[in-house]
């Protein structure tokens, strides 16, 4: 494997701190009583489940870069904690971590206020434990939440599956899926949809599951997917992910199926780029940013596959997977990427500007494709 790396220019964004110094997403985790209610414009994700099911570990590993082994020393959550995630306009939400002993029938628990402002509810089930009690709590939780806010996305993480065999994983998922949906049918809640994911903090499954959850909260997702489809079809690229660099959540990908191995390769590439940038991309006094406008990396694998990373915005990166013969047309790929990047910035501007009401298509810049004779031609 060979790595080509272009060192970033310091202060491209006027940011003094590098990722190691400021690797979080904004506010530190705090007690909910010490913080006012969030604005309605910021989606809220609730992490719920029984005690010791792994809720806090998921939050720490995904959003605070904690090593999975360090989560063994986390204390059990005994309060409702909120974590303000503010990485970009696309990944901009709050996570509320609930203790396992929350009693919905407690008169001091205002569940209507909490569920009314929620975009997604993640219920974590420990797959290595007896999950009969967890299924009962799941039904109580989602039924209460659905009656308050039918628009909530209900997600079930069947967690800690790293200790199970492949057959046991499939059987556990099937059993939990069947029992949970049977309980909903008995309660005449057939319209309530549950999504199930097998997850573990010891591999990339938790990042992929959180990616799927976050994508449902991104109103620009169809536009982003369309732009990625146009980009890869005109550039000879096999697969492309639009990543949030810090969390390694992919906020969009093209319409082709996601291969877990490809996703893991792209995640590892981001780690390599950031680690190398922190060593060689900063000034001698340590100032500058580890990821900026000039960040770019090329990794050539020994199976003729090329990984290509380019900066899109301050927090987003495009990671592409393609063949070496396709990468020979790097000039064409870079031109199409320039058009793609410009379109993404327009999506960003539309998302943050309330005064912009034009319905003009976002992907206005024309991308180029290669004709049979090898000469670039424009495509709509």
């Amino acid at each position: 494997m060979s790595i080509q790396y272009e060192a970033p220019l310091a202060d491209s964004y006027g940011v003094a701190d590098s990722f190691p110094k400021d690797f979080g997403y904004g506010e530190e985790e705090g007690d909910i009583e010490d913080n006012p209610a969030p604005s309605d414009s910021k989606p809220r994700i609730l992490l719920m489940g029984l005690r010791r099911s792994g809720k806090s570990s998921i939050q720490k590993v995904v959003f605070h870069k904690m090593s999975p082994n360090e989560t063994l020393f986390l204390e059990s959550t005994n309060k409702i904690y909120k974590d303000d995630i503010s990485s970009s306009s696309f990944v901009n939400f709050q996570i509320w971590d609930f203790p396992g002993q929350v009693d919905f029938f407690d008169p001091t628990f205002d569940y209507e206020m909490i569920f009314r402002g929620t975009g997604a509810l993640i219920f974590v089930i420990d797959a290595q434990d007896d999950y009969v009690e967890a299924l009962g709590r799941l039904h109580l939780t989602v039924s209460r939440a659905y009656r308050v806010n039918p628009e909530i996305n209900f997600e079930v993480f069947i967690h800690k599956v790293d200790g199970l065999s492949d057959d046991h994983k499939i059987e556990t998922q099937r059993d939990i899926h069947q029992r949970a949906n049977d309980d909903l049918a008995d309660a005449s809640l057939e319209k309530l949809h549950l999504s199930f994911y097998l997850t573990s903090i010891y591999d990339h499954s938790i990042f992929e599951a959180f990616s799927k959850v976050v994508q449902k909260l991104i109103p620009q997702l169809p536009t982003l997917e369309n732009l990625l489809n146009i980009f890869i079809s005109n550039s000879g690229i096999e697969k492309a992910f639009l990543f949030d660099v810090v969390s390694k959540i992919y906020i969009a990908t093209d319409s082709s199926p996601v291969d877990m191995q490809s996703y893991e390769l792209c995640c590892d590439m981001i780690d390599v780029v950031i680690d190398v940038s922190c060593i060689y991309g900063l000034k001698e006094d340590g100032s500058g940013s580890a990821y900026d406008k000039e960040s770019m990396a090329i990794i050539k694998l020994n199976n003729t596959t090329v990984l290509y990373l380019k900066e899109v915005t301050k927090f987003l990166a495009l990671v592409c997977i393609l063949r070496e013969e396709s990468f020979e047309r790097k000039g064409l790929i870079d031109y199409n990427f320039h058009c793609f990047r410009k379109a993404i910035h327009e999506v960003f501007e539309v998302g943050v500007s309330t005064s912009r009401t034009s319905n003009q298509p976002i992907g206005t810049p024309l991308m180029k494709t290669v004709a049979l004779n090898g000469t670039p031609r424009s495509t709509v």
Side-chain angles (χ1 to χ4, degrees):
M1 181 181 74
S2 63
I3 299 177
Q4 300 177 28
Y5 174 74
E6 184 173 313
L9 298 178
D11 298 329
S12 293
Y13 287 100
V15 179
D17 292 332
S18 62
F19 275 158
K21 297 178 183 176
D22 187 16
F23 220 37
Y25 274 77
E27 292 182 21
E28 289 294 320
E29 188 178 275
D31 189 355
I32 192 172
E33 286 89 6
D34 298 332
N35 293 278
S39 64
D40 292 336
S41 61
K42 186 172 293 188
R44 183 186 304 158
I45 295 179
L46 307 184
L47 268 176
M48 309 187 86
L50 297 183
R51 292 174 62 92
R52 311 305 299 178
S53 59
K55 304 181 296 296
S56 300
S57 299
I58 291 173
Q59 180 186 355
K60 291 294 186 181
V61 169
V62 176
F63 298 106
H64 295 280
K65 318 320 295 177
M66 178 178 284
S67 167
N69 293 326
E70 293 179 27
T71 62
L72 298 173
F73 306 102
L74 287 176
E75 296 182 2
S76 182
T77 303
N78 54 17
K79 298 179 182 179
I80 301 177
Y81 283 90
K82 80 167 187 177
D83 199 7
D84 195 0
I85 310 301
S86 304
S87 65
S88 72
S89 66
F90 302 118
V91 186
N92 188 20
F93 52 82
Q94 292 186 330
I95 293 183
W96 289 19
D97 184 7
F98 283 73
Q101 67 272 20
V102 166
D103 182 8
F104 292 103
F105 297 101
D106 189 335
T108 62
F109 183 76
D110 189 0
Y111 65 87
E112 289 194 5
M113 179 277 293
I114 293 176
F115 291 147
R116 197 176 298 118
T118 297
L121 190 157
I122 300 174
F123 195 92
V124 182
I125 295 178
D126 185 350
Q128 298 187 26
D129 198 3
D130 182 10
Y131 46 76
V132 174
E133 181 184 356
L135 286 171
R137 179 62 65 88
L138 168 65
H139 179 74
L140 172 64
T141 302
V142 299
S143 58
R144 281 287 180 100
Y146 182 78
R147 291 187 176 95
V148 174
N149 181 5
E151 302 301 317
I152 294 178
N153 297 319
F154 295 101
E155 322 284 352
V156 180
F157 284 7
I158 304 172
H159 197 48
K160 302 183 183 180
V161 296
D162 49 277
L164 307 180
S165 65
D166 290 342
D167 291 341
H168 196 178
K169 290 179 187 178
I170 296 172
E171 177 60 27
T172 300
Q173 183 177 20
R174 187 204 61 78
D175 188 40
I176 291 176
H177 183 279
Q178 184 68 42
R179 292 192 189 191
N181 283 299
D182 286 348
D183 290 343
L184 294 177
D186 293 342
S188 300
L189 291 172
E190 292 88 352
K191 293 183 179 180
L192 195 163
H193 177 70
L194 299 175
S195 299
F196 296 86
Y197 308 88
L198 294 171
T199 61
S200 170
I201 59 174
Y202 291 96
D203 56 31
H204 291 81
S205 59
I206 189 62
F207 294 96
E208 184 177 21
F210 239 107
S211 297
K212 300 290 182 59
V213 172
V214 169
Q215 286 169 22
K216 295 179 182 179
L217 302 179
I218 301 174
Q220 304 97 330
L221 182 62
T223 302
L224 298 176
E225 290 181 346
N226 186 45
L227 288 171
L228 284 166
N229 285 332
I230 295 172
F231 172 68
I232 68 167
S233 64
N234 293 322
S235 305
I237 292 172
E238 294 184 355
K239 188 67 182 172
F241 294 92
L242 191 59
F243 272 96
D244 174 62
V245 175
V246 176
S247 67
K248 292 185 292 187
I249 286 176
Y250 68 94
I251 67 168
T253 186
D254 58 88
S255 56
S256 62
V258 175
D259 175 53
M260 191 65 175
Q261 186 177 12
S262 299
Y263 173 65
E264 292 175 359
L265 275 174
C266 294
C267 287
D268 292 341
M269 182 182 192
I270 291 175
D271 287 336
V272 170
V273 170
I274 297 303
D275 289 345
V276 174
S277 296
C278 292
I279 298 173
Y280 300 106
L282 306 179
K283 294 180 179 179
E284 292 184 1
D285 59 0
S287 63
S289 175
Y291 181 78
D292 59 21
K293 290 180 180 179
E294 303 300 323
S295 293
M296 183 272 290
I298 303 165
I299 296 180
K300 295 183 178 180
L301 306 181
N302 57 9
N303 61 352
T304 72
T305 299
V306 177
L307 304 179
Y308 191 28
L309 180 146
K310 294 274 285 185
E311 182 268 356
V312 177
T313 73
K314 181 179 178 181
F315 299 100
L316 300 180
L318 180 71
V319 184
C320 305
I321 301 175
L322 66 161
R323 295 295 173 186
E324 283 186 2
E325 54 267 25
S326 299
F327 195 67
E328 292 175 359
R329 300 191 296 268
K330 183 174 179 295
L332 172 68
I333 295 174
D334 287 343
Y335 175 83
N336 287 342
F337 171 79
H338 173 75
C339 298
F340 171 82
R341 186 176 184 272
K342 183 177 180 181
I344 290 293
H345 278 263
E346 290 185 22
V347 173
F348 180 86
E349 290 168 5
V350 170
V352 298
S353 175
T354 57
S355 61
R356 191 168 181 175
T357 58
S358 171
N359 291 324
Q360 182 179 0
I362 295 299
T364 303
L366 295 180
M367 293 190 183
K368 289 184 177 179
T369 186
V370 177
L372 293 177
N373 60 5
T375 58
R377 58 179 172 85
S378 296
T379 182
V380 179

